[in-house]
Amino acid sequence: MTPVSPRILLLGAGGRLGRVIARLGAPVVPAGRREADFRTACDIPALVEHIAPDVVINAAAFTDVDGAESSESEAMAVNGHAVGLLAAACARRDIPLIHVSTDHVFPSAQGRPWRPEDTPRPLSAYGRSKRLGEDLIRLTGGRYLILRTSWLFGGGGRDFVSTILGRARQGAPVPVVADQTGGPTPILPLAATLLSLAHRAVTISGLREIHHFTGMPDVSRADFARAIIASAGLETEVEEVTTDDLAAPARRPLDARLDNTSLALRFGISRPDWRLHLEALADRLKTTAPPPHETAHI
Ligand SMILES: NC(=O)c1ccc[n+]([C@@H]2O[C@H](COP(=O)([O-])OP(=O)(O)OC[C@H]3O[C@@H](n4cnc5c(N)ncnc54)[C@H](OP(=O)(O)O)[C@@H]3O)[C@@H](O)[C@H]2O)c1
C-alpha cells in the first residue's frame, strides 16, 4: 500500500539544496556526512537499512568543480562509487532513488539544448564523476529518477548571485563570461520539484527515468550577472570576458542549455522563471553585503 506521506531519506541535508528541501516541511529524515561519509561509503547500505525509507533523495555531492581537477579520485568516490552503493542499497529494498545531477555531464555545444537521452561526454573531472554516478544508478537495475539541473541560486550561502554582488559592490566593472549559456535555476522550486517527484516515485513501478529541470529563459552568464546587479539596485557594469580568458582549472560546457520538455510531458512540471525569483530576492540583495568570492565562474 502507498503511504499517505512517504518517509523520505534526504542525503546531503546540510548542503545548499539539501537545506532548502529540509525547510519545506515534508517529513524527511535528514542525513549528512556524519551519518554516511560518501568518501568511503561503507555506512550507506546500513543507513538505508536502518532508516528503511519509502524513497531516497540524494543531494550529497562533491561540488567543487575546479577542485575536482586535482582531487579526481575523491570526486569519483563521492559522486560515482558511493552513488552506485546507494543505488544498490535502494534496489535491494525496491526503494526509488531520486538523484540530482548536472549539466556538466555534457560537452561544449551542439546547437540545441541537451536532451535527457543525449550521450553524456563530460569535459571535466567533476563531470566525469557525476556521469559515473548516473551510469552506476542505471546499471544497478533499481528504481530511479535522475534530475539534471544547472546554475543553482538562492537559498542562502555563496553562489553566483552573492559572488557577483560582492564584486559589484566594489564598484569596478565585474568580469563575467559571455560565452557560456544556460538556465539559472532558483533552488526553491527545484527543492519543491524534488519533493514532488519523491512523492510520486513511490507509486511508480519500474521507474527508470532521466529528466532536466532548469530555470527559464536560458541566458548568458554575463546577462544573468547584469540582471543580478540591476535587482540589487546597483549600476556596476559587467565586463564581458571569455571562458578562455578566465583559465579556470575545469572546462565547462559553453552551451549548457537543458531541454526540460520530458519533465513537463511526464509530470506536468514547467520551468520556473528565474527573473521572478531574482525579483523576490531583490530586497534581501539590496541590504545584504555578501563577501567577495574569488571566482564568478561556478
Ligand atoms: N550548485 C550548482 O550550481 C549545481 C548545479 C547543477 C547540479 N548541482 C547538483 O545539485 C546537488 C546539490 O548541490 P549543492 O549546490 O547543494 O551542493 P553543496 O552545497 O556543496 O552541498 C553538497 C552536500 O554534499 C555533502 N557532501 C559532500 N561530500 C560528502 C561526503 N564525502 N560524504 C557525505 N556528504 C558529502 C555536503 O556535506 P557537508 O555539508 O558536510 O560538506 C553537502 O551537504 C549536487 O548533486 C550537485 O552536483 C548543483
Side-chain angles (χ1 to χ4, degrees), residues 12-18 33 36-39 59-63 78 100-103 126 130 149-152:
R16 285 168 50 210
L17 175 58
R33 201 184 285 258
D37 189 330
F38 276 39
R39 283 171 300 188
F62 181 111
T63 55
V78 173
V100 185
S101 195
T102 170
D103 56 304
Y126 170 70
K130 293 294 285 186
T149 185
S150 66
W151 300 18
L152 304 192

Side-chain angles (χ1 to χ4, degrees), residues 87-120:
C90 290
R92 270 194 295 279
R93 282 185 159 264
D94 193 28
I95 299 166
L97 171 61
I98 313 297
H99 176 73
V100 185
S101 195
T102 170
D103 56 304
H104 286 254
V105 298
F106 291 119
S108 256
Q110 62 162 358
R112 64 158 169 79
W114 297 99
R115 296 183 187 133
E117 65 274 19
D118 287 331
T119 306

